[in-house]
Amino acid sequence: AQKVTQAQTEISVVEKEDVTLDCVYETRDTTYYLFWYKQPPSGELVFLIRRNSFDEQNEISGRYSWNFQKSTSSFNFTITASQVVDSAVYFCALSEEGNTGFQKLVFGTGTRLLVSP
Amino acid sequence: DGGITQSPKYLFRKEGQNVTLSCEQNLNHDAMYWYRQDPGQGLRLIYYSQIVNDFQKGDIAEGYSVSREKKESFPLTVTSAQKNPTAFYLCASRGLGLAVDTQYFGPGTRLTVL
């Protein structure tokens, strides 16, 4: 069965610090997709990134970067120079792709990030 | 603006009542999903639909029902059979095609049973 583990329940940092959110996944599929979503206090899940299992290149988008390592089944997320607006719950998710095109997302339990001024 | 809307934002229900949560999307997405979120937990799939007039149970469908009469709409009914309905409910949609696409989420409905 597929599983996503986010061992960090809550992280507190001071503004401008760098912070890394860990995500470890389990799957038997050779083709799969990994996602990160942000959930601010308003509740809506905001899509951040999608990465497929064949692409292990790290990605950088502004202050955000992602490190995908198949050897350790990890897909970690780093925020550089954190800001108060980064305070949110962050979810890592793994997709199951069914034969009919059905996509099921398996979510981790989330990491709450609190950035204080 | 393209997006997913859910209404109401907050909903209060007395025990024994059925309530219906609305989800509408104008993204022309074929697939729609309903998730439940409890405090400190990830999202769990209730129902999903890939085409109009067809839907399938997810992992926790007991006590819920859905319909998909229009491509744009996927309402969720929380019935009195749902033993613990107080939760945050999120609707999502996704385009279908040869390439994997992403599920996009609405703003959610917070249901409280009094």
Side-chain angles (χ1 to χ4, degrees):
Chain A
Q2 299 199 333
K3 184 179 178 182
V4 175
T5 301
Q6 296 180 255
Q8 303 153 306
T9 304
E10 185 168 315
I11 301 175
S12 293
V13 299
V14 177
E15 212 171 14
K16 298 184 182 178
E17 284 186 23
D18 299 347
V19 57
T20 295
L21 309 181
D22 298 333
C23 173
V24 175
Y25 62 93
E26 296 176 26
T27 181
R28 293 182 181 178
D29 293 342
T30 56
T31 301
Y32 52 89
Y33 297 83
L34 293 160
F35 301 79
W36 275 95
Y37 287 88
K38 173 183 179 179
Q39 186 177 41
S42 60
E44 180 175 355
L45 257 70
V46 178
F47 165 71
L48 296 177
I49 189 171
R50 178 184 72 236
R51 179 51 53 99
N52 73 56
S53 53
F54 296 105
D55 185 359
E56 287 195 71
Q57 287 189 358
N58 292 335
E59 180 151 342
I60 299 175
S61 176
R63 296 184 297 107
Y64 295 171
S65 62
W66 291 269
N67 183 8
F68 176 33
Q69 291 193 342
K70 288 181 72 173
S71 60
T72 56
S73 297
S74 65
F75 186 42
N76 296 336
F77 172 31
T78 297
I79 301 175
T80 303
S82 60
Q83 300 176 2
V84 172
V85 292
D86 295 327
S87 297
V89 180
Y90 291 86
F91 289 97
C92 181
L94 170 68
S95 72
E96 288 183 18
E97 305 295 324
N99 293 332
T100 60
F102 164 58
Q103 179 197 69
K104 175 182 177 180
L105 290 182
V106 176
F107 284 86
T109 52
T111 297
R112 181 178 299 277
L113 174 63
L114 178 61
V115 181
S116 54
Chain B
D1 288 349
I4 304 171
T5 58
Q6 291 185 243
S7 61
K9 188 174 178 65
Y10 299 96
L11 186 57
F12 297 90
R13 188 195 93 172
K14 294 182 180 179
E15 284 193 27
Q17 288 182 338
N18 293 353
V19 289
T20 298
L21 282 59
S22 169
C23 177
E24 304 275 336
Q25 54 96 4
N26 61 4
L27 300 169
N28 199 32
H29 284 172
D30 292 290
M32 297 187 74
Y33 305 77
W34 274 106
Y35 291 90
R36 170 180 172 140
Q37 184 181 18
D38 293 286
Q41 297 189 30
L43 279 66
R44 293 182 291 168
L45 182 65
I46 305 173
Y47 266 98
Y48 66 95
S49 168
Q50 297 198 108
I51 56 174
V52 174
N53 293 323
D54 185 62
F55 48 83
Q56 304 296 328
K57 293 182 179 180
D59 299 323
I60 56 167
E62 185 175 351
Y64 300 97
S65 66
V66 293
S67 63
R68 187 84 186 277
E69 298 178 1
K70 298 186 300 182
K71 187 176 183 178
E72 303 80 19
S73 177
F74 192 40
L76 173 75
T77 296
V78 184
T79 75
S80 57
Q82 169 49 234
K83 299 303 180 187
N84 185 21
T86 294
F88 189 53
Y89 292 87
L90 285 156
C91 177
S93 71
R94 169 182 175 238
L96 295 180
L98 295 177
V100 170
D101 207 341
T102 299
Q103 289 186 29
Y104 295 93
F105 287 80
T109 292
R110 192 167 300 278
L111 173 63
T112 302
V113 174
L114 304 175

